């Protein structure tokens, strides 16, 4: 059972079950806990090789026991995500914890990842359960539906879930080359049905100031 | 203003539930565009619903707007105009953002702290280097590290905590007497460094008005932005201003400065 102790500390109550969490993110626990490093995020040899090949590396640990365990990472804001059979796409570095019953894997992101400077691959989490993702400042959750497609700055994108198609929009014109671009030259457009998490801050992207 | 339910999961927003020209949370501001225009600093849009175009200040179709509302050539490359219809979210480095209304007033603000403003306001470069002045009636959005505190003059403030001021005509430096005395005082006068408490230098405001402070001493990264014209009598543009660029942040090797910034690299 995931709950937010504060916006920056995640508390997980466990009764003999297990969670996967980012390696080293435990800040406190009470009760009995066992920590075990999961090589390759607990995805087996194939997952390990995939992660190695795609550069989407993730060091996770498995925490199992009775009691409450608290997790935090560099005072990043934590957002809870509940999954009902759908799939969450998140950068490995932004994933704090997930129920052990959720399957994690590696997915292809295409130009979005490239424009963020995060590489072409991302981490997927799917199944039924809860996950916790981190953002710089509390994430705003935006619903995308057929009527309301959403456009996001790659630097502010944190995660998305549901059945979404993403397309990469480039507003680079001759004006950008003249230094009179709109400042938002690279955008990702989401269409379909689902949720997108954006953070109130922009990472440095290769698009930079364009 | 929607709050984040700590245990019940975060609030999910869509265009119907997003506020119009108000904060989504302390760090995110939502602007509703309805065929209207907003000026915003480059790169502060984090996402939008609807169809919105972002045009640089040099865009030909914006000539009339620029003539009435934008009088700051130094900052032209940092600003864009958003046009279209839809809802747009603005944020900056997870700093607090707040909107303020001006009614036939004036407000001067550190250039890096101003995120966006309505074109009914006119943006002018302040005589004080690094600050911008907004004049007129309308709404603007400003970022600060920690919530903004409003103070009444007479007041002396720490330079790093100063965000801006409204209606006070007298921003000036104030030095505690210690700057004159002793060897350290002499050194300080020469170099501007050193001193006992680090608080000997303040900005002083008197008269009627409001002073805006942020509750931390973290500044926005200063951007080198060229120089005011080297006319006689223009602060910051004087004889020794020279190229101006050099006066900003130290330039790293391999940086092209102005040219690079123009190309957005």
């Amino acid at each position: 059972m995931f709950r937010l102790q504060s916006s920056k500390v995640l508390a997980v109550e466990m009764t003999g079950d297990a969670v996967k969490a980012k390696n080293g993110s435990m800040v406190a626990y009470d009760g009995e806990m066992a920590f075990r490093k999961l090589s390759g995020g607990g995805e087996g040899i194939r997952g390990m090789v995939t992660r190695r090949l795609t550069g989407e590396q993730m060091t996770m640990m498995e925490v199992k026991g009775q009691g409450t365990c608290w997790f935090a990472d560099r005072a990043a804001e934590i957002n809870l995500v509940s999954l009902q059979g759908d799939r969450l796409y998140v950068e490995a570095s932004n994933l704090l914890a997930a129920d052990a019953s959720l399957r994690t894997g590696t997915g292809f992101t295409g130009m979005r990842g490239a424009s963020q400077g995060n590489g072409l691959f991302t981490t997927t989490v799917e199944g039924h359960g809860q996950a916790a993702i981190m953002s710089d400042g509390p994430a705003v959750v935006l619903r995308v539906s057929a009527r309301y497609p959403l456009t996001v700055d790659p630097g502010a994108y944190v995660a998305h879930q549901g059945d979404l198609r993403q397309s990469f929009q480039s507003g680079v014109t001759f004006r950008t080359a003249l230094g009179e671009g709109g400042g938002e030259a690279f955008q990702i457009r989401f269409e379909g049905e689902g949720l997108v998490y954006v953070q109130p801050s922009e990472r440095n992207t290769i698009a930079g100031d364009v | 203003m929607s709050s984040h339910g700590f245990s019940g999961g975060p609030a999910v927003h869509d265009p119907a539930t997003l506020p119009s020209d108000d904060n989504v949370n302390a760090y995110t501001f939502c602007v509703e565009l309805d065929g209207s225009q907003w000026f915003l600093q480059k790169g502060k849009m984090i996402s939008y619903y609807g169809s919105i175009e972002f045009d640089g200040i040099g865009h030909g179709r914006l000539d009339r707007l620029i003539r009435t509302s934008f009088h700051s050539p130094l900052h032209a490359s940092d600003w864009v105009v958003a046009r279209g219809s839809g809802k747009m979210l603005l944020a900056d480095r997870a700093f607090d953002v707040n909107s303020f209304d001006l009614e036939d007033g004036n407000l001067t603000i550190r250039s890096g702290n101003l995120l966006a403003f309505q074109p009914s306001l006119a943006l002018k470069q302040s005589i004080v280097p690094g600050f911008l002045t907004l004049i007129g009636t309308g709404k603007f959005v400003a970022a600060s590290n920690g919530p903004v505190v409003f103070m009444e003059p007479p007041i002396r403030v720490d330079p790093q905590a100063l965000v801006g001021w409204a209606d006070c005509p007298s921003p000036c430096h104030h030095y505690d007497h210690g700057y004159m005395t002793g060897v350290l005082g002499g050194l300080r006068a020469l170099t501007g460094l050193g001193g006992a408490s680090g608080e000997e230098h303040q900005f002083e405001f008197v008269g009627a008005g409001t002073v805006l402070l942020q509750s931390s001493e973290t500044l926005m990264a200063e951007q080198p932005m060229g120089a005011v014209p080297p006319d006689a009598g223009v602060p910051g543009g004087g004889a020794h201003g020279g190229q101006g660029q050099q006066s900003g942040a130290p330039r790293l090797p391999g940086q092209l400065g102005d040219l690079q910034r123009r190309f957005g690299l």
Side-chain angles (χ1 to χ4, degrees):
Chain A
M1 185 60 206
F2 284 32
R3 113 187 117 77
L4 288 180
Q5 184 77 36
S6 76
S7 66
K8 295 174 180 176
V9 180
L10 170 73
V12 181
E13 269 135 43
M14 281 182 280
T15 50
D17 47 341
V19 292
K20 288 183 213 174
K22 185 172 181 170
N23 219 17
S25 62
M26 184 275 289
V27 290
Y29 71 89
D30 62 19
E32 287 291 320
M33 295 285 163
F35 300 88
R36 187 168 69 86
K37 184 171 179 210
L38 292 175
S39 299
E43 293 158 16
I45 299 288
R46 184 155 176 261
M48 257 169 99
V49 172
T50 315
R51 288 201 176 270
R52 185 67 64 174
L53 288 178
T54 55
E56 181 72 13
Q57 279 167 39
M58 178 168 79
T59 43
M60 300 290 273
M61 58 182 178
E62 187 189 56
V63 185
K64 195 171 187 174
Q66 302 261 353
T68 308
C69 192
W70 287 272
F71 300 95
D73 189 35
R74 276 179 277 174
E77 294 282 335
I78 298 168
N79 309 275
L80 294 184
V81 179
S82 66
L83 290 170
Q84 268 97 36
D86 49 343
R87 186 184 279 193
L88 173 76
Y89 292 79
V90 60
E91 267 325 294
S93 53
N94 283 0
L95 181 64
L96 179 65
D99 276 335
S101 59
L102 292 170
R103 288 186 306 285
T104 55
T106 315
F108 182 70
T109 59
M111 279 308 279
R112 191 205 82 223
S115 66
Q116 272 172 267
N118 279 338
L120 293 168
F121 296 88
T122 193
T123 293
T124 58
V125 182
E126 59 187 317
H128 290 263
Q130 283 181 300
I133 58 177
M134 295 183 288
S135 56
D136 182 15
V140 177
V141 191
L142 296 167
R143 185 181 299 285
V144 179
S145 58
R147 270 187 69 199
Y148 299 119
L150 177 73
T151 313
V152 177
D153 189 295
Y157 165 87
V158 176
H160 74 270
Q161 71 181 103
D163 181 21
L164 290 177
R165 291 182 307 285
Q166 37 181 311
S167 53
F168 182 74
Q169 283 188 337
S170 160
V172 179
T173 61
F174 76 97
R175 289 188 186 279
T176 313
L178 293 176
E180 288 179 353
E184 307 291 357
F186 296 96
Q187 298 166 354
I188 335 164
R189 188 171 170 86
F190 287 95
E191 288 170 70
E193 299 282 337
L195 301 177
V196 178
Y197 297 76
V198 293
Q199 64 183 11
S201 148
E202 302 198 353
R203 277 182 295 267
N204 276 328
T205 60
I206 54 160
D209 274 346
V210 177
Chain B
M1 178 88 55
S2 76
S3 63
H4 283 253
F6 273 168
S7 51
V12 176
H13 294 282
D14 63 25
T17 63
L18 281 173
S20 170
D21 296 346
D22 201 357
N23 277 64
V24 180
N25 60 32
Y27 312 96
T28 312
F29 187 84
C30 180
V31 170
E32 180 167 18
L33 289 174
D34 182 17
S36 50
Q37 298 168 317
W38 270 72
F39 281 93
L40 70 136
Q41 221 189 93
K42 247 182 206 181
K44 306 304 182 197
M45 181 280 290
I46 57 169
S47 64
Y48 64 86
Y49 287 106
S51 65
I52 297 177
E53 276 178 55
F54 301 89
D55 289 315
I57 290 296
H59 201 310
R61 281 181 292 173
L62 300 173
D63 273 357
R64 269 190 65 171
L65 183 68
I66 305 303
R67 193 179 309 152
T68 55
S69 309
F70 200 89
H71 308 266
S72 179
L74 292 195
H75 300 88
S77 62
D78 293 324
W79 286 83
V80 293
V81 177
R83 297 185 306 161
S85 58
K87 286 191 171 174
M88 166 172 76
L89 296 182
L90 308 178
D92 186 17
R93 280 164 279 179
F95 279 33
D96 286 62
V97 293
N98 281 296
S99 66
F100 303 88
D101 288 299
L102 271 186
E103 265 183 45
D104 203 8
N106 72 79
L107 176 126
T108 303
I109 185 167
R110 202 179 281 280
S111 62
N113 288 65
L114 184 63
L115 283 195
F117 62 96
Q118 279 180 327
S120 56
L121 290 166
L123 181 79
K124 314 212 172 188
Q125 221 161 287
S126 170
I127 294 174
V128 182
F131 284 80
L132 293 168
T133 301
L134 288 166
I135 298 176
T137 301
K139 201 184 264 283
F140 67 94
V141 184
S144 58
N145 192 261
V148 167
V149 185
F150 297 89
M151 304 298 266
E152 295 272 309
I155 186 175
R156 291 180 187 151
V157 305
D158 188 287
Q160 286 127 55
L162 179 67
V163 172
W165 62 90
D167 304 329
C168 323
S170 70
C172 55
H173 296 277
H174 173 90
Y175 291 92
D176 285 353
H177 169 71
Y179 84 100
M180 290 288 282
T181 53
V183 178
L184 273 181
L187 272 179
R188 200 177 308 132
L190 273 177
T191 63
L193 299 173
S197 70
E199 305 285 6
E200 291 83 3
H201 174 207
Q202 300 115 27
F203 289 160
E204 177 158 351
F205 293 87
V206 295
T210 313
V211 179
L212 281 64
L213 304 176
Q214 62 181 7
S215 43
S216 97
E217 300 195 354
T218 307
L219 290 178
M220 301 279 185
E222 294 265 342
Q223 290 204 328
M225 56 185 65
V228 287
D231 300 339
V234 176
H240 63 276
Q243 299 301 311
Q245 263 296 323
Q246 257 71 21
S247 64
R251 190 175 300 171
L252 298 169
Q255 251 186 312
L256 296 172
D258 241 343
L259 195 66
Q260 190 181 26
R261 248 165 67 68
R262 292 286 289 173
F263 283 83
L265 294 173

